[in-house]
Amino acid sequence: MIPPIEQSSKTQDDNKYHTSPAAPFKTYVSLADKQRIEDEKLIITSVRKALDIVITDRVARNQPTLYHQTEAILRNMTGRNVKMSHICKIMYLAPRLYSVEAKELRTYGGKINEDFLIEFGKEWRVPLIGKDLQLRADMLREAVDRYFNEHPEHDATVPEAPLPRLRAVVNKDEWEKQANLPQGIKKLLEAHKAVKQERIEQQKPKPTPQGSVKERFEALRARLASKKK
């Protein structure tokens, strides 16, 4: 009878500590990935087409194209849940198509809201003719295709261009120190500050009286007597 072949200690140790390799990262593009990419391409090009129509119409009526006023229109025209992020993607791919500027809007209650004024880029003359519209469509389509050709990752998506923001609120005290204001204006501001400070002092809680009424009366008489001397 042939005895079983004994495994070496090295082989046994290798089997003991052997672990299966980690699953590789996903490097292929699935059918779902391709569908998502095509959907992103479609909504970007659709938003560009609709936005061109909206801006042209509002320019003809001498009205600015503010995003919050046109969001619902863009959604109805494209049948998609259009957001400002889609316009930012267009700006990333083809920054020459539009210019975006932050605007401060005040409500009747004085509340400040931030909105974005969207206009055609400086090189485009309004109203756009058919040749211009076709050129704009080609520019964006080529930019979209180029981006996804250069980014074959399965999770590739178009980045968003950063939005401009309103200026930071200026510190009033610092501004008054640095501003070259007329002397009369400076005195007027100082008078307003003095009145404001006086009101603040009046609103502060008064100190609690110390001692009895008789003791406070005697202290008052002593202070008055010292003033007469």
Side-chain angles (χ1 to χ4, degrees), residues 3-209:
I5 300 175
E6 295 182 359
Q7 293 182 343
S8 65
S9 59
K10 181 179 179 181
T11 305
Q12 291 176 352
D13 291 342
D14 289 345
N15 292 336
K16 181 179 180 181
Y17 297 103
H18 177 73
T19 56
S20 59
F25 290 106
K26 182 179 177 182
T27 56
Y28 62 92
V29 179
S30 66
L31 184 61
D33 296 328
K34 292 180 180 179
Q35 182 60 42
R36 179 191 57 78
I37 291 173
E38 290 302 319
D39 187 69
E40 184 172 358
K41 289 181 179 180
L42 179 59
I43 190 171
I44 287 175
T45 54
S46 299
V47 169
R48 195 279 315 162
K49 183 178 180 180
L51 188 56
D52 280 3
I53 295 173
V54 171
I55 295 178
T56 301
D57 175 68
R58 295 183 77 86
V59 168
R61 292 186 286 142
N62 293 321
Q63 294 181 354
T65 305
L66 295 170
Y67 176 73
H68 87 282
Q69 296 176 349
T70 59
E71 183 181 67
I73 301 174
L74 294 174
R75 291 180 177 181
N76 289 335
M77 294 178 68
T78 60
R80 299 298 190 95
N81 185 25
V82 177
K83 299 179 181 178
M84 189 66 199
S85 59
H86 294 110
I87 299 176
C88 291
K89 289 176 181 285
I90 296 174
M91 294 291 294
Y92 178 87
L93 293 167
R96 293 164 52 194
L97 295 184
Y98 302 104
S99 66
V100 178
E101 182 181 354
K103 290 293 183 180
E104 178 184 293
L105 301 181
R106 292 181 180 270
T107 62
Y108 289 109
K111 183 180 178 181
I112 299 176
N113 294 321
E114 186 181 48
D115 204 349
F116 299 99
L117 173 66
I118 308 172
E119 298 176 316
F120 290 125
K122 294 181 179 179
E123 66 183 85
W124 307 97
R125 291 186 178 182
V126 182
L128 300 178
I129 60 177
K131 182 180 179 181
D132 294 331
L133 294 172
Q134 186 60 49
L135 178 59
R136 291 169 63 84
D138 293 342
M139 286 175 60
L140 183 59
R141 185 180 63 254
E142 291 172 2
V144 172
D145 291 340
R146 187 185 315 114
Y147 177 83
F148 283 106
N149 288 336
E150 294 175 354
H151 297 81
E153 304 88 13
H154 71 280
D155 57 349
T157 185
V158 178
E160 300 174 16
L163 285 171
R165 294 298 179 185
L166 294 173
R167 292 186 308 168
V169 178
V170 178
N171 185 292
K172 186 178 179 181
D173 293 334
E174 292 296 328
W175 175 80
E176 289 178 3
K177 291 178 182 178
Q178 298 176 6
N180 188 19
L181 299 175
Q183 196 64 28
I185 299 297
K186 289 183 178 181
K187 290 183 178 180
L188 182 61
L189 291 174
E190 291 174 359
H192 281 300
K193 285 183 179 180
V195 172
K196 184 178 180 180
Q197 186 62 34
E198 184 178 352
R199 290 176 180 173
I200 293 174
E201 293 295 333
Q202 291 176 353
Q203 292 175 357
K204 289 183 178 180
K206 296 181 179 180
T208 305

